[in-house]
Amino acid sequence: MAPTPAVAQEPTVPQGPRVVREPAAAAESVSVTAAPDWTPPLSTRGRWIVDADGERFKLRSGNWHGASGTWNGSGSADEDANHHAGENSGRMPLGLDRAPMAEIIAGFQELGINSIRLPFSNEMIHDSRPVTDDSVAANPSLRGKTPLQVYDVVVRELTAAGLAVILNNHTNTTRWCCGVDGNERWNASQSTSTWENDWLFMARRYKDNERVVGADLYNEVRRNVWDDPNWGLGDNHDWFAASQRVGDRILTEANPDLLIIVEGINWTGIPVDGFAHERPTLEPVRRLSHTLVDSGKLMYSAHFYDYTGPNHSGATGTGETSDPRYRDLSPAELIDVLNRRAFFVTAEQDQHFTAPVWISEFGIGGRDETGVRQRAWFESFVDHLIRTDADFAYWPLVGWHEDRKGNGWALLHWDSAGNRMGLYDGDDWRAAAWTRLIGVQGRTGRVAPVTQWSMLSPDHGDFVQSRRMRALPDWDSGARKAVCPDGRRLLGLSHTGSRGLCTDVSAGALWDPAGGHQVVVDERHVRPGQDWASGYTKLQCADGQFLIGYSVRGAAVSAALCAAAPSGRLGTIGRTVWFDRGDNRGSAPKGGDFAQGHYKGQCADDEYAAGIAYTGRVGSARPDALYCRRLG
């Protein structure tokens, strides 16, 4: 979410016709309807989001904030002056005191968006206090409802109008961002179990509304006073592990249709010159990416504003460093940083991390923003969104104004009398850029299914991503187990680090449920005269079976997990791929570096892994070779 930056001077650039609305009669029911042009649920194919018909669905979104809180944290929360920019949301999406919900939603549709990122706080979920009558003056049928009940109505009416809704857990507490405010992490002001249970509650609550399409897990994970968040250390601050776990729980226990959206890390380090500090965003995804139990449900997200920077917190005064802000970069420098921090996830195909990236927040001040660099940044950023055909969500959609003055960041503003000030009133310089962005054609039509590549990372515990195996008893108690998602096979393994690579390349789904699985802990399936790794211990699948997983104890191999394929799908001619002294992944391996800093072995695209060989030395039984056989 974006605080209001300082304003510099530059002439305004009028764009488009001015529209002035008279105050509307108070009402709640939504009369606006949109002919559905997409079929839920949504899923992903490589870097694209698609609907149930396989048609590309580009998220042209906006943020309707307020339910996550606007209170600044001091003084009475009842006083408007103690809320961000004086805009008191009343613990609900902003503007319901000033305009009927139908008018607000109609304004969204006029802007050309097709989806709403709808923030909420964990505190809002449990807040049993009814909203005040004044806070719903333009929507009197909301009187007496709790904030969550109002949120229910908003979700219902947005989706009834044909818009997709993405639930966004924005904060723990109903308080505005962004410093040390108790909302730094998913578990900053509450336990991780509370956070997970709240997500299951919300996912189940809207399960029957098929136009609720996504779960945006947490907003702007960042440092508190003493500790940084991390990506993969396995502790209580591990955002990778927390998002991986709750994403799987949502899909398996609450709603398998939702997109699972993971934002990168917003800030680490101490914002003082001479101390390490940065905005990692999605860079950690290159070395460690998520693998959910359901293919085609993972998305990543990132935020960019002109007043922040790759190493700048965005602060002015306390917390400000001498690092450049994004608005200080040249267009070429900006593109380089954006690609490195986020857009590589969509740009690089056939990688373990390839997925859609949703720029779920970007924005800038409107009429009163006259800064040359600020405006230039916005134009350059919009150009990059267009260039990359990116999914996006503007921050924010709704704001307040009085006599056409106010916070100014929103695309639509209402005054206390219900008069609307819109983006296309003729005096908002952003209108041309927005029109260019919202109107660009981009890719349309059907997106063909793509090859799936994904990591297994049992770094700190089980990483069983197969629904079938999750439903069965523990197949190697006490070991850390890793299993590919159903429909994929193991194709790569690292010598150290316990990482694996899964795919469905060349073969699609191979596992025959009728054939079951087998846990292999010895050499019973190695035929006489066919020792493919002499002097090494070999865990080999039976003929007609292929590797879908493995287990480790410490760094040592414990067992191989094999699954049966339909007759004729697997060949028996094989070769040994050694990776004990260097990488052995072919000349142009797909899937990416799934175990950075470790030797890796990988079968060819037209092969399957049928065995693992390792040395028998106690405490050092690391995998040294894969037995790769040709597909049938």
Side-chain angles (χ1 to χ4, degrees):
M1 58 176 70
T4 305
V7 175
Q9 296 297 317
E10 184 184 329
T12 57
V13 180
Q15 299 285 348
R18 178 177 178 179
V19 177
V20 179
R21 291 181 174 236
E22 295 299 321
E28 182 203 20
S29 63
V30 172
S31 59
V32 175
T33 58
D37 57 357
W38 58 284
T39 306
L42 301 181
S43 58
T44 69
R45 291 181 177 175
R47 61 88 76 221
W48 308 104
I49 303 167
V50 297
D51 72 0
D53 298 322
E55 299 285 318
R56 196 265 173 107
F57 185 87
K58 182 174 182 175
L59 288 176
R60 295 180 173 90
S61 318
N63 286 268
W64 190 4
H65 78 298
S68 57
T70 52
W71 181 53
N72 285 328
S74 61
S76 171
D78 297 329
E79 298 294 330
D80 292 352
N82 297 326
H83 290 255
H84 173 68
E87 297 176 340
N88 184 353
S89 69
R91 300 170 287 143
M92 299 170 290
L94 191 69
L96 297 177
D97 60 330
R98 298 183 169 217
M101 201 180 302
E103 181 178 332
I104 294 173
I105 295 174
F108 297 164
Q109 293 173 315
E110 289 172 17
L111 291 171
I113 62 176
N114 61 13
S115 44
I116 298 292
R117 183 178 185 242
L118 196 62
F120 68 87
S121 71
N122 299 89
E123 183 180 343
M124 183 214 76
I125 296 174
H126 303 282
D127 192 345
S128 61
R129 298 170 298 154
V131 300
T132 65
D133 289 354
D134 288 346
S135 66
V136 291
N139 295 271
S141 63
L142 298 178
R143 289 176 181 168
K145 295 184 182 294
T146 66
L148 179 58
Q149 290 169 337
V150 173
Y151 193 92
D152 290 340
V153 175
V154 169
V155 169
R156 184 190 73 207
E157 300 303 334
L158 286 169
T159 56
L163 294 165
V165 169
I166 295 94
L167 309 175
N168 164 233
N169 186 192
H170 210 72
T171 52
N172 300 166
T173 66
T174 308
R175 181 178 169 185
W176 184 257
C177 76
C178 295
V180 181
D181 58 3
N183 296 309
E184 301 86 4
R185 297 188 313 275
W186 63 99
N187 56 4
S189 301
Q190 61 189 5
S191 68
T192 297
S193 62
T194 296
W195 176 66
E196 291 184 0
N197 289 335
D198 282 351
W199 255 124
L200 296 179
F201 170 82
M202 293 293 278
R204 290 170 182 146
R205 189 173 185 88
Y206 305 107
K207 183 178 181 180
D208 293 335
N209 188 334
E210 60 184 5
R211 291 186 184 272
V212 176
V213 298
D216 185 355
L217 299 181
Y218 202 73
N219 183 73
E220 296 185 356
V221 173
R222 57 191 186 274
R223 181 187 177 90
N224 61 12
V225 173
W226 301 110
D227 297 295
D228 283 327
N230 68 78
W231 193 277
L233 294 184
D235 59 15
N236 195 41
H237 297 169
D238 184 347
W239 176 226
F240 168 81
S243 53
Q244 171 76 41
R245 175 180 161 85
V246 79
D248 281 338
R249 290 197 69 191
I250 289 169
L251 293 173
T252 57
E253 300 177 41
N255 187 345
D257 289 336
L258 291 178
L259 294 170
I260 302 300
I261 303 166
V262 182
E263 187 181 333
I265 292 179
N266 191 256
W267 182 260
T268 62
I270 302 172
V272 176
D273 287 337
F275 288 83
H277 52 266
E278 66 167 336
R279 209 175 270 284
T281 321
L282 290 173
E283 280 197 276
V285 173
R286 185 178 291 280
R287 61 174 176 80
L288 179 58
S289 63
H290 295 71
T291 299
L292 298 174
V293 293
D294 293 330
S295 301
K297 287 299 180 183
L298 174 68
M299 286 175 52
Y300 289 107
S301 69
H303 295 175
F304 294 100
Y305 291 103
D306 74 280
Y307 60 89
T308 62
N311 297 90
H312 201 297
S313 70
T316 300
T318 303
E320 185 174 11
T321 63
S322 58
D323 304 290
R325 302 174 190 261
Y326 286 118
R327 66 189 180 217
D328 299 324
L329 305 179
S330 70
E333 291 170 332
L334 178 64
I335 290 171
D336 178 68
V337 170
L338 294 176
N339 289 342
R340 178 161 36 88
R341 288 289 161 97
F343 288 84
F344 75 91
V345 177
T346 59
E348 299 180 31
Q349 302 301 298
D350 287 322
Q351 306 292 303
H352 63 81
F353 53 75
T354 304
V357 170
W358 185 35
I359 305 303
S360 56
E361 285 189 27
F362 76 104
I364 198 166
R367 291 157 177 82
D368 291 334
E369 177 54 84
T370 56
V372 174
R373 290 181 300 165
Q374 287 87 333
R375 288 188 173 199
W377 170 85
F378 188 72
E379 297 284 353
S380 295
F381 190 77
V382 166
D383 286 344
H384 199 57
L385 292 177
I386 293 171
R387 183 183 304 114
T388 56
D389 200 2
D391 300 90
F392 59 85
Y394 185 87
W395 181 282
L397 288 174
V398 176
W400 289 4
H401 81 97
E402 293 299 332
D403 297 324
R404 305 184 71 78
K405 298 291 183 182
N407 181 14
W409 276 62
L411 300 181
L412 301 169
H413 299 79
W414 279 267
D415 68 14
S416 56
N419 296 302
R420 196 186 84 169
M421 178 178 71
L423 176 70
Y424 291 114
D425 284 1
D427 56 350
D428 193 322
W429 66 274
R430 300 169 298 177
W434 178 261
T435 300
R436 194 167 76 251
L437 175 62
I438 208 73
V440 68
Q441 182 73 10
R443 176 168 182 168
T444 60
R446 188 173 185 274
V447 178
V450 299
T451 297
Q452 304 280 346
W453 297 90
S454 55
M455 292 179 66
L456 296 179
S457 52
D459 304 17
H460 307 288
D462 285 355
F463 204 80
V464 177
Q465 299 311 106
S466 163
R467 280 182 175 263
R468 293 179 188 171
M469 294 308 301
R470 284 180 173 224
L472 297 175
D474 190 337
W475 51 274
D476 193 359
S477 180
R480 303 195 314 279
K481 294 165 285 295
V483 187
C484 296
D486 296 332
R488 302 186 206 178
R489 68 188 188 274
L490 187 71
L491 203 68
L493 204 60
S494 66
H495 176 60
T496 53
S498 303
R499 297 279 178 85
L501 180 69
C502 302
T503 188
D504 59 358
V505 66
S506 300
L510 279 176
W511 191 352
D512 181 0
H517 71 278
Q518 182 179 24
V519 179
V520 178
V521 295
D522 54 34
E523 297 188 352
R524 69 184 64 190
H525 298 305
V526 180
R527 294 184 178 182
Q530 295 184 5
D531 187 344
W532 49 273
S534 179
Y536 288 75
T537 302
K538 294 164 285 291
L539 305 180
Q540 181 177 327
C541 299
D543 290 349
Q545 296 182 347
F546 61 98
L547 276 170
I548 60 169
Y550 55 94
S551 59
V552 294
R553 296 176 188 271
V557 175
S558 179
L561 183 65
C562 304
S567 177
R569 296 294 301 275
L570 303 180
T572 57
I573 298 174
R575 66 186 178 105
T576 304
V577 174
W578 294 97
F579 51 95
D580 56 331
R581 299 181 183 179
D583 274 7
N584 190 354
R585 299 192 293 144
S587 59
K590 299 174 185 175
D593 191 342
F594 60 92
Q596 286 191 5
H598 302 275
Y599 297 152
K600 296 166 287 292
Q602 186 170 326
C603 300
D605 290 357
D606 61 352
E607 295 178 326
Y608 67 96
I612 303 169
Y614 60 91
T615 56
R617 294 191 302 274
V618 176
S620 61
R622 298 180 176 91
D624 293 305
L626 282 172
Y627 185 38
C628 299
R629 283 177 158 178
R630 294 291 296 273
L631 293 164

